[in-house]
Amino acid sequence: MPAPSRKATQVEKEDAPRRFVFLLLDKFTMINFAGAIEPLRLANHVMGFPVYTWALCGEGGVEKTCSNGATFKLDFGLDEVDREDTILVCGGIEIQKTTSKPVIGWLRREARRGVAIGGLCTGAYALAKAGLLDGKKATIHWENQDGFAEEFEEVKLTKSVFVMDGNRWSTAGGISSIDLMLRIIASDHGEDLANNVADLMIYSTIRTDQDTQRLSIPTRIGVRHPKLSQVIQMMENAIEDPLSPADLAEDVGMSTRQLERLFRRYLNRSPKRYYMELRLQKARNLLMQTDMSVINVALACGFASPSHFSKCYRSHYNTTPYRERGTQGMPSPGIGVRLSI
């Protein structure tokens, strides 16, 4: 293992290590928690003495179980932390239910005391619910973005891997917490230490807050055709007010018939069908992630009437929007429900 450079060892042993307090919500996802805590451990390992410490807390103060069933013992409950601490909220599935009133009150109290607070994965929802992201930039896992954007219009939602806006941070979930922690380590103790930690994790590409969380459209659909990618991007940006195939074709300089052939050749469906699937996917996200009425979900996804929306939804998902709303969190046969990774 290469020794950290002089810049990375400027911290003296007698300096107090920086402490991170992980607030574990019920059913939090382990991958984003592990991705945040392991870089801290490895930074201590490389340095040869602790530059970071951490503690686990949560409502009840006893233990929390993550989404894969593993249980973690907590160090304390919703107690007051030191002002120099950094709180990281670890979210997961069913975030609306697990963001309880005691959790919201605790976050607000610690924020008033000036504590830096970040949300990992869907933990950003808890920060937004507490009003801590009002007027700030933030990110959340792409599957939760539709519902988040509808509920928190005052938050400047981005598609970045992570966001640091003052002392409010957020990550997109999955392994994006690694990128955030490597940025923090580099800021605290130098790039060399962060690079050494990344090497130990076999993490060859450190992403920045300028990187986006989803694959590019060509990679996602498995097709590299510039005009097809351009049309799909236009569709994704105009869900509430859908564009006609004629308008889409005109904007990319082709005829409607050419556009039809393009979609049939590469995606085996018509532009209209593909567009409908995008709108229905967003509708399903809103039904599963928000308390919006079925009528408002229909309007947000470009349907002129609830009856037309219900007919299209049933045809695609083999259930109605009303039944979907009544079985949140319980997958219908053959349909996977994913609210967080």
Side-chain angles (χ1 to χ4, degrees):
M1 179 195 316
S5 70
R6 180 180 180 85
K7 182 178 180 181
T9 58
Q10 290 175 349
V11 173
E12 300 294 336
K13 290 186 179 182
E14 57 266 20
D15 290 345
R18 179 177 182 178
R19 187 173 80 149
F20 285 83
V21 177
F22 291 89
L23 172 63
L24 306 185
L25 301 181
D26 291 323
K27 299 182 181 180
F28 70 96
T29 52
M30 182 182 285
I31 189 170
N32 72 83
F33 168 65
I37 202 169
E38 281 299 286
L40 303 179
R41 179 187 69 82
L42 291 170
N44 291 345
H45 174 70
V46 173
M47 295 295 283
F49 57 89
V51 290
Y52 296 109
T53 62
W54 49 87
L56 310 184
C57 77
E59 188 176 357
V62 180
E63 63 182 27
K64 288 293 175 184
T65 301
C66 65
S67 58
N68 67 14
T71 299
F72 291 79
K73 182 179 178 181
L74 303 178
D75 297 300
F76 52 86
L78 300 180
D79 304 332
E80 186 175 290
V81 302
D82 294 335
R83 291 184 180 180
E84 293 75 22
D85 289 341
T86 299
I87 295 172
L88 294 178
V89 183
C90 299
I93 62 176
E94 298 180 11
I95 188 64
Q96 291 90 344
K97 295 180 181 179
T98 61
T99 302
S100 64
K101 289 183 178 179
V103 165
I104 293 172
W106 184 74
L107 290 173
R108 287 173 175 168
R109 186 185 72 201
E110 296 305 315
R112 286 194 297 267
R113 298 177 58 245
V115 178
I117 304 176
L120 307 182
C121 193
T122 58
Y125 178 92
L127 270 66
K129 195 70 175 178
L132 306 187
L133 295 179
D134 290 357
K136 292 186 176 293
K137 292 193 296 183
T139 189
I140 197 168
H141 191 277
W142 61 266
E143 283 191 324
N144 299 86
Q145 290 222 343
D146 292 333
F148 188 97
E150 290 289 341
E151 186 167 354
F152 305 109
E153 295 181 359
E154 63 278 9
V155 180
K156 302 172 184 176
L157 188 61
T158 77
K159 297 181 179 180
S160 299
V161 171
F162 67 89
V163 171
M164 304 180 79
D165 191 342
N167 61 354
R168 298 290 178 263
W169 312 333
S170 51
T171 74
I175 61 172
S176 62
S177 53
I178 295 177
D179 302 290
L180 172 66
M181 302 313 288
L182 290 175
R183 165 69 70 84
I184 293 171
I185 291 170
S187 177
D188 288 348
H189 306 298
E191 295 283 349
D192 287 348
L193 178 58
N195 290 336
N196 281 334
V197 170
D199 282 343
L200 287 172
M201 293 189 296
I202 321 298
Y203 198 67
S204 57
T205 303
I206 302 176
R207 295 173 295 179
T208 73
D209 53 0
Q210 300 301 310
D211 290 301
T212 56
Q213 50 182 289
R214 294 203 70 182
L215 298 173
S216 66
I217 290 176
T219 303
R220 221 187 307 157
I221 64 177
V223 176
R224 295 195 174 276
H225 191 291
K227 289 193 175 182
L228 180 62
S229 299
Q230 188 178 349
V231 170
I232 291 175
Q233 184 69 64
M234 291 164 60
M235 289 178 171
E236 292 181 351
N237 292 338
I239 297 294
E240 187 170 352
D241 296 303
L243 301 168
S244 68
D247 288 338
L248 291 168
E250 182 179 357
D251 285 344
V252 296
M254 61 172 56
S255 68
T256 304
R257 181 172 294 183
Q258 287 174 320
L259 184 66
E260 288 276 351
R261 286 201 296 264
L262 188 63
F263 269 78
R264 292 288 183 187
R265 176 181 178 184
Y266 290 108
L267 298 176
N268 197 32
R269 51 174 60 78
S270 68
K272 186 176 180 181
R273 181 71 246 171
Y274 187 89
Y275 208 167
M276 176 63 72
E277 290 173 1
L278 287 178
R279 292 161 59 200
L280 289 172
Q281 179 60 62
K282 177 173 181 177
R284 191 159 191 267
N285 286 343
L286 294 178
L287 287 169
M288 303 298 289
Q289 299 170 18
T290 74
D291 294 326
M292 293 173 63
S293 68
V294 172
I295 293 176
N296 285 336
V297 169
L299 293 174
C301 298
F303 294 92
S305 69
S307 58
H308 181 225
F309 172 49
S310 185
K311 179 181 178 181
C312 295
Y313 199 94
R314 179 193 285 273
S315 176
H316 189 63
Y317 288 117
N318 199 32
T319 188
T320 68
Y322 298 93
R323 289 178 180 171
E324 192 85 275
R325 166 56 55 76
T327 56
Q328 283 194 30
M330 299 180 63
S332 301
I335 301 175
V337 175
R338 301 180 301 163
L339 297 182
S340 173
I341 64 172

